[in-house]
């Protein structure tokens, strides 16, 4: 049976129709209505009726018709839930007027637009019809275009304030909820959301351009490699040209080099021939003037010189050996010092690491001291608790955690470290009552960036566990559960059921722990923990001892962190001082290392100097020996021809002279002995024959002068004889032979060079001056090797490489220009976004001021003044009013201190102020006047009717109360819903 509608009020007169207002609503099988049709006036409409008569379904139908989703209505989870029980479909039919300048596509739809949304068990569809009922559109985009044209945001509470939104808005004291209402009503939410989405899209676009720019990096790399190949190939061409040029220069350089050698050899031959007469003349002169003396004096002088040089060589060898030993000792000392520096550096690193760890422990303990909760998860757990607080109404039972925040040590803090090792992993965990709350808590943890949160599901309704004594460890030592306390029975139960805290025994030291864990065979024992942190347990026949965890240095359940902070500070100070001492020690050792290194370098320099001196002495010794052998040979012939003939004979006599030399040495030793004896006799006779001695000394000096002259003449004679034999004559013959060879070589080189290129070409290229054939040959060899190496690296032709390079360069240039254009457009978009955001912030500030002015304007109708504080950063909005009875006081109090009627009226004034700031062709409010006293309700109704009439748009008010007190006006239409059937 169709529902009936009773009409009250008056209507009449003529109003100019306005585009976008609702003229008719028809519902079929929608919620509680089988068939309902309501015609609405152009201005103010009141719909009243008893609870359950389906008043609120009208506003829900409007929301559904204009595209709102099921959850957005707060009345159902899915669209199928709106179908009346027992029916197969539901239909919402809304007719809108489409007159005037603001009409939507009047040439298509005409004066009336019909919106029909049909809902079935499997789907829902929306159809737009014209004034003749003809189907015009059916896509959701068409509906969105219509909604945006008339600015009908049904989710905006200032357009349609549903029953739930009305209760939430009028009676909520939450400043954040009021801010959300204001933010959405003024369309700031849409603008902010749009700016945020644009900023996100710009960020995504920038990331995309970054990826595109990075994507061309391999091509740029390939382009650079191609350019490198081309340059290398160009160098190969240059090298090839240089090789050809060097081949030509090398061929003629051999000719020019032989010419140069021929000139030098010819000059040398002439010079050697000029020396023959002079050498012979000097030899003859020395032979005529040199007296005959005993040969044993010359031999004695030569042997003395040999002995002196040999002594110097031996002394230098001993010095080198000593310096090598000193060098080895210094090297060993340097190695020891280097190892010690490395060891000290490692100690410094360890101390610095320990100091950082101690400072970190101190900061954590100081943080725990100010907020104990941070000891069980750090800053993450405080963030998680804040998120849980925001979503507390969604939990079936509020989560308990972290567990450590609900646990205290009963006695002293000595067991804190042992307790930490026993149940430390559970202290960060949270407890929930069921799986659904576990999933919700996990989502809260993700929101708080708290990963890997341990969540324990446990029935909160279970009473505190009471464990009989026969199920506890039979020992006099305390257990974990016996030294801790918690006021929450669920926490205690979890520590027992999950952590086995009643079967964990605590002992004072390692030896006692081994006895209890392995020797006493204590029943009901699971694990043993010591004060130092050792963990001991048996599993069957296996006995296990785990060392203390190095990362656990403190107990988080300590009643006070002061002592631990002081201990760590002392330890950190000692570590810092030790680190400073090590740095000083390291500096000393490094200075010693540098000194040793300088000494080692000095010793090496001295050794090198002595070795050079030794080599020079050895060479001198060899020269003296050779000279001694040469001088022991027989005298040369008087003439050059005879000298050449006697060379071979002199070589045969060398051996005989060596034998004579040995005899002379024996005679020399005998002579030295006799000389010593004579010297002794001479010393004895000195006193008796001083005059004779003076004469003898004079004669001796004369004799020494004669001997010196004799030695000088003999040495000069031998020198010129040697020059004549070994230098002049032999050099002349060798030079003449060499000259002939050079002439032959020049002819061959000239013939080969002429085949390679004419000499005129080399002259045109600058000749070969300044370069020898050896230099040119070495340079040519190097260039050939380089040419071969480069040719093997790049087998491709250089022209192909250049074409490929130009092709890739054009391609990459196009992409770079495209990406540059993208960047410029993104930059322009970013500037535009920043400009719009600044305008948004300026408009938000102006809207905040406008809201306060209009709010006061409505409050003054009841003699009330007020103020609205909006904080965009904290997203809060607070309403403060001053009642007339508070005129003697300057204080302004929150609306929560008002009566229900006063609070509802002030909130209604707040809503009307928001209405003045929004634009829509129609507005609807459900149960806006609940919880008001009679006076406040009368003032509120008058205020809202006057406001609606003055505003000019269409208004729909739904209330369960009597509306007879609403004034009569031809622009006001009153309708009453039929009573619900029992």
């Amino acid at each position: 049976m169709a529902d009936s509608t009773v009409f009250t009020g008056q209507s009449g007169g003529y109003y100019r129709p306005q585009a976008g207002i609702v003229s008719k609503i028809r519902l079929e099988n929608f919620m509680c209505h089988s068939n309902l049709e309501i015609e609405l006036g152009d201005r103010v409409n009141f719909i009243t009726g008893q609870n359950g008569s389906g008043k609120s379904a009208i506003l829900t139908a409007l929301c559904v018709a204009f595209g709102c989703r099921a959850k957005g209505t707060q009345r159902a989870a899915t669209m199928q839930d709106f179908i009346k029980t027992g029916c197969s479909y539901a239909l919402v039919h809304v007719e809108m007027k489409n007159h005037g300048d603001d009409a939507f596509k009047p040439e298509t739809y005409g004066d009336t637009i019909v919106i029909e949304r049909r809902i079935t068990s499997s789907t829902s569809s929306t159809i737009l019809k014209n004034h003749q009922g003809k189907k015009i559109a059916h896509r959701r985009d068409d509906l969105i275009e219509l909604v945006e044209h008339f600015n009908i945001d049904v989710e905006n509470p200032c357009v349609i304030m549903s029953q739930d939104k009305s209760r939430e808005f009028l009676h909520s004291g939450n400043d954040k909820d009021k801010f959300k209402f204001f933010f959405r009503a003024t369309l700031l939410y849409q603008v902010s959301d749009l700016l945020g989405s644009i900023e996100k899209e710009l960020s995504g676009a920038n990331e995309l351009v970054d990826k595109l720019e990075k994507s061309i990096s391999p091509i740029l790399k390939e382009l650079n490699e191609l350019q490198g190949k081309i340059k290398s190939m160009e160098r190969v061409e240059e090298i090839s040209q240089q090789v050809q040029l060097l081949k030509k220069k090398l061929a003629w350089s051999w000719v020019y080099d032989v010419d140069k050698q021929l000139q030098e050899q010819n000059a040398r031959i002439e010079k050697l021939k000029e020396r023959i007469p002079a050498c012979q003349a000097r030899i003859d002169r020395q032979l005529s003037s040199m007296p005959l003396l005993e040969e044993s004096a010359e031999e004695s002088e030569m042997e003395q010189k040999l002995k002196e040089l040999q002594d110097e060589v031996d002394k230098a060898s001993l010095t080198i050996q000593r310096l090598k030993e000193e060098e080895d000792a210094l090297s060993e000392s340097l190695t020891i010092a280097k190892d010690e520096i490395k060891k000290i550096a490692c100690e410094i690193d360890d101390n610095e690491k320990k100091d950082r760890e101690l400072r970190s422990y101190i900061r954590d303990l100081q943080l725990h001291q100010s907020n104990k909760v941070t000891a069980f998860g750090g800053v993450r757990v405080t963030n998680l608790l804040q998120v849980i607080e925001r979503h507390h109404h969604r939990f079936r039972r509020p989560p308990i955690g972290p567990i450590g925040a609900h646990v205290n040590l009963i006695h002293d803090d000595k067991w804190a470290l042992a307790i930490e090792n026993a149940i430390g992993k559970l202290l960060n965990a949270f407890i929930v009552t069921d799986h659904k709350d576990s999933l919700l808590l996990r989502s809260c943890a993700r929101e708080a960036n708290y990963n890997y949160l341990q969540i324990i599901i446990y029935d909160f309704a279970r009473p505190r566990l009471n464990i009989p004594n026969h199920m506890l460890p039979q020992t006099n030592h305390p257990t974990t559960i016996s030294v801790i306390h918690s006021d929450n029975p669920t926490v205690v139960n979890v520590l027992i059921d999950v952590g086995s805290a009643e079967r964990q025994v605590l002992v004072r030291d390692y030896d006692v722990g081994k006895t209890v864990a392995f020797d006493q065979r204590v029943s009901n024992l699971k694990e043993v923990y010591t004060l130092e942190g050792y963990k001991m347990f048996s599993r069957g026949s296996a006995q296990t001892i785990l060392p203390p965890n190095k990362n656990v240095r403190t107990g988080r359940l300590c009643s006070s962190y002061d002592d631990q902070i002081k201990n760590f500070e002392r330890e950190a100070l000692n570590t810092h001082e030790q680190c400073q001492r090590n740095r000083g020690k390291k500096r000393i050792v490094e200075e010693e290392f540098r000194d040793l290194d300088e000494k080692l370098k000095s010793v090496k320099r001295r050794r090198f100097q002595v070795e050079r001196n030794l080599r020079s002495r050895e060479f001198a010794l060899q020269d003296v020996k050779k000279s001694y052998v040469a001088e022991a040979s027989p005298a040369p012939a008087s003439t050059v021809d005879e000298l050449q003939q006697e060379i071979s004979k002199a070589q045969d006599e060398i051996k005989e002279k060596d034998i004579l030399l040995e005899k002379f040495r024996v005679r020399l030793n005998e002579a030295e002995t006799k000389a010593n004896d004579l010297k002794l006799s001479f010393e004895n006779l000195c006193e008796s024959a001083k005059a004779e001695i003076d004469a003898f000394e004079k004669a001796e000096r004369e004799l020494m002068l004669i001997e010196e002259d004799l030695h000088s003449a003999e040495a000069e004679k031998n020198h010129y004889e040697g020059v004549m034999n070994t230098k002049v004559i032999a050099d002349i013959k060798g030079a003449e032979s060499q000259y002939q060879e050079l002439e032959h070589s020049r002819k061959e080189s000239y013939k080969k060079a002429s085949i390679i290129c004419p000499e005129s070409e080399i002259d045109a290229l600058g000749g070969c001056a300044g370069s020898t054939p050896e230099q040119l040959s070495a340079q040519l060899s190097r260039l050939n090797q380089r040419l071969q190496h480069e040719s093997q690296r790049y087998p491709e032709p250089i022209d192909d490489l250049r074409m490929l390079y130009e092709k890739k360069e054009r391609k990459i240039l196009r992409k770079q220009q495209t990406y540059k254009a993208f960047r410029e457009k993104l930059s322009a978009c970013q500037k535009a976004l920043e400009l719009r955001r600044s305008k948004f912030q300026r408009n938000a500030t102006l809207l905040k001021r406008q809201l306060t002015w209009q709010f006061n304007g409505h409050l003054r109708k009841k003699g009330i003044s007020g103020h609205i504080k909006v904080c965009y950063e904290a997203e809060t909005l607070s309403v403060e009013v001053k009642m007339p009875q508070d005129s003697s006081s300057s204080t302004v109090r929150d609306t929560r201190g008002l009566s229900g009627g006063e609070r509802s009226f002030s909130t209604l004034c707040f809503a009307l102020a928001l209405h003045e700031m929004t634009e829509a062709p129609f507005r609807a409010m459900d149960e806006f006047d609940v919880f008001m006293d009679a006076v406040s309700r009368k003032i509120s109704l008058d205020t809202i009717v006057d406001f609606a009439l003055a505003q000019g748009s269409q208004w729909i008010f739904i209330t369960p109360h009597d509306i007879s007190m609403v004034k009569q006006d031809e622009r006001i239409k009153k309708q009453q819903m039929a009573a619900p059937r029992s």
Side-chain angles (χ1 to χ4, degrees), residues 670-686:
E670 293 176 356
E672 287 179 353
T673 303
K674 290 180 181 180
N676 291 332
D677 294 339
L678 290 173
K679 187 177 181 181
L680 183 61
S681 300
F682 175 74
E683 289 176 355
N684 293 329
L685 294 174
C686 280

Side-chain angles (χ1 to χ4, degrees), residues 13 81-82 189 224 234 240 249 382 605 791 834 855 864 888:
D81 295 337
F82 290 123
Y189 169 77
N224 292 332
E234 291 174 349
S240 179
K249 286 188 175 182
T382 58
R605 287 194 296 270
S791 300
E834 293 173 357
F855 175 64
I864 306 173
S888 60

